[in-house]
Amino acid sequence: MQTGSTLHDDRTGVSALGGLGAQVRGASGRLPEIWMQDGAKRVEQTLARLLCAEDDGETELMAAMRYATLNGGKRTRALLCLAAGALADTPAHMLDDVGAAIEMMHACTLVHDDLPAMDDDVLRRGLPTVHVKFGEATAILVGDALQAHAFLTLASLDAPGDNRIALVRELAQAVSAEGAAGGQAMDLSLVGKHVELDRIVAMHRMKSGALVRASVRMGALCAIAEDAAHAALYCALDRYTACFGLALQVVDDILDATADTATLGKTPGKDAAAQKPTCASIMGLQAARQFALDLLRDAGEAIAPLGPRAERLAQMLQRANAYLFKHAPCA
């Protein structure tokens, strides 16, 4: 990991994500906010379409599933999928469905993460969590059903069988015992303990980083097979997501310690109250902030060899950089 330089000059307010970071408008002259807003809107519409079955009148399951997925969120994982898909020239309609499947899976992990037996939170995206609004039993079923619907969406894609298998495998691995589920188990096991930073980093790479990695890889896997001919591409994408996914979690750790409920959309100070070790608590806030900046810079360097094709992936880094400086400025 490189250290020492930052992504931002506090005197000028200019981002410095390497050469790619300067592409604010990009080769097409289109502001990145436009495609991000368009992409998030399309994914939102796709989620509403895919989660449209009516309940039988005796349960609230589908209503709770829609509540968990359609009430806000930055759609970062779906946008990463769309950005990687643009690199691979993946058809937009396919990316919308894949992005929706990823968001269903992300919502599943959040619903389960909020449960009393897990992180026990009462707010998510500024609203009561699913178990608070619908009950704990329904929340468990919501997570289970969203996971199933995510895989059903991928299995039903208008794509060759090999592509669908690759996508299903990628998403399954991201939430397996080697991914989000294993990371959540590790997170619970570390509560109240004094641990080394490496353990926290390993946990973050599994709990949240694995789904970030899958989001980017799935955007590419829609159109480009992971084979010897494309080894360099997938190596670059994996380096990008390893840095970006960890940076997002470090930023989340910082904001949990510094931001208010309105910014977070959930209860602040939860990590400290639960005696959960984080990058911020181990390193200190300023060092953790610099760590996040270094990770974002390294992610930009990872995709620099891909050139203009990776423009939208670079713009995702800029968005994360701007978010950090808006909500966690230098002390």
Side-chain angles (χ1 to χ4, degrees):
M1 184 70 62
Q2 297 181 15
T3 59
S5 65
T6 68
L7 295 166
H8 193 277
D9 185 328
D10 291 316
R11 296 167 299 173
T12 63
V14 176
S15 293
L17 286 164
L20 284 173
Q23 298 173 357
V24 177
R25 291 183 179 271
S28 64
R30 200 177 191 213
L31 285 167
E33 289 82 1
I34 302 299
W35 77 260
M36 291 179 189
Q37 291 169 2
D38 289 349
K41 182 179 180 179
R42 293 201 321 269
V43 169
E44 204 81 13
Q45 293 170 340
T46 303
L47 283 167
R49 170 175 58 81
L50 293 170
L51 299 175
C52 65
E54 295 184 3
D55 290 323
D56 60 11
E58 297 182 6
T59 78
E60 295 182 294
L61 181 58
M62 183 56 69
M65 291 167 65
R66 290 173 65 87
Y67 179 86
T69 55
L70 295 172
N71 279 302
K74 296 184 287 294
R75 303 302 182 203
T76 298
R77 288 148 193 83
L79 290 174
L80 283 168
C81 176
L82 268 57
L87 180 152
D89 294 325
T90 303
H93 71 277
M94 187 184 303
L95 284 174
D96 293 345
D97 280 8
V98 175
I102 291 167
E103 288 295 330
M104 287 183 212
M105 190 63 78
H106 180 48
C108 162
T109 66
L110 297 181
V111 171
H112 282 174
D113 192 47
D114 289 335
L115 287 169
M118 299 292 183
D119 279 0
D120 191 15
D121 212 332
V122 297
L123 286 176
R124 174 68 66 178
R125 295 169 176 169
L127 296 171
T129 47
V130 175
H131 72 271
V132 171
K133 185 172 179 64
F134 295 94
E136 189 173 346
T138 296
I140 293 170
L141 293 173
V142 164
D144 293 344
L146 284 172
Q147 182 170 136
H149 276 254
F151 287 123
L152 284 171
T153 299
L154 296 178
S156 302
L157 285 175
D158 181 18
D162 287 349
N163 295 73
R164 283 179 282 147
I165 290 171
L167 290 166
V168 167
R169 181 187 298 114
E170 194 69 39
L171 189 57
Q173 183 175 337
V175 294
S176 69
E178 298 174 351
Q184 177 71 8
M186 186 183 297
D187 192 19
L188 293 171
S189 74
L190 297 178
V191 171
K193 296 180 180 178
H194 296 285
V195 298
E196 297 296 325
L197 180 62
D198 288 350
R199 293 280 305 281
I200 302 299
V201 168
M203 180 270 291
H204 284 332
R205 290 200 189 282
M206 294 170 66
K207 183 179 177 181
S208 55
L211 191 55
V212 170
R213 179 178 187 268
S215 300
V216 171
R217 289 171 60 85
M218 289 169 72
L221 285 168
C222 287
I224 300 177
E226 186 177 13
D227 53 25
H230 302 106
L233 169 65
Y234 281 96
C235 181
L237 295 180
D238 286 349
R239 286 180 56 215
Y240 170 88
T241 55
C243 296
F244 191 25
L246 181 55
L248 291 177
Q249 188 56 57
V250 175
V251 171
D252 193 62
D253 290 348
I254 294 169
L255 295 183
D256 181 80
T258 62
D260 56 18
T261 300
T263 299
L264 288 175
K266 56 184 180 179
T267 308
K270 290 282 293 181
D271 292 337
Q275 295 185 303
K276 291 177 61 175
T278 67
C279 290
S281 66
I282 292 174
M283 303 175 71
L285 289 174
Q286 287 305 310
R289 184 177 181 277
Q290 184 60 54
F291 185 36
L293 292 172
D294 291 340
L295 286 165
L296 290 173
R297 183 208 56 224
D298 291 349
E301 291 177 355
I303 56 172
L306 301 179
R309 290 193 303 156
E311 170 186 288
R312 291 188 175 183
L313 289 172
Q315 290 167 348
M316 291 297 294
L317 298 176
Q318 284 199 327
R319 188 176 83 152
N321 185 44
Y323 183 82
L324 174 59
F325 274 88
K326 178 180 179 180
H327 296 294
C330 288

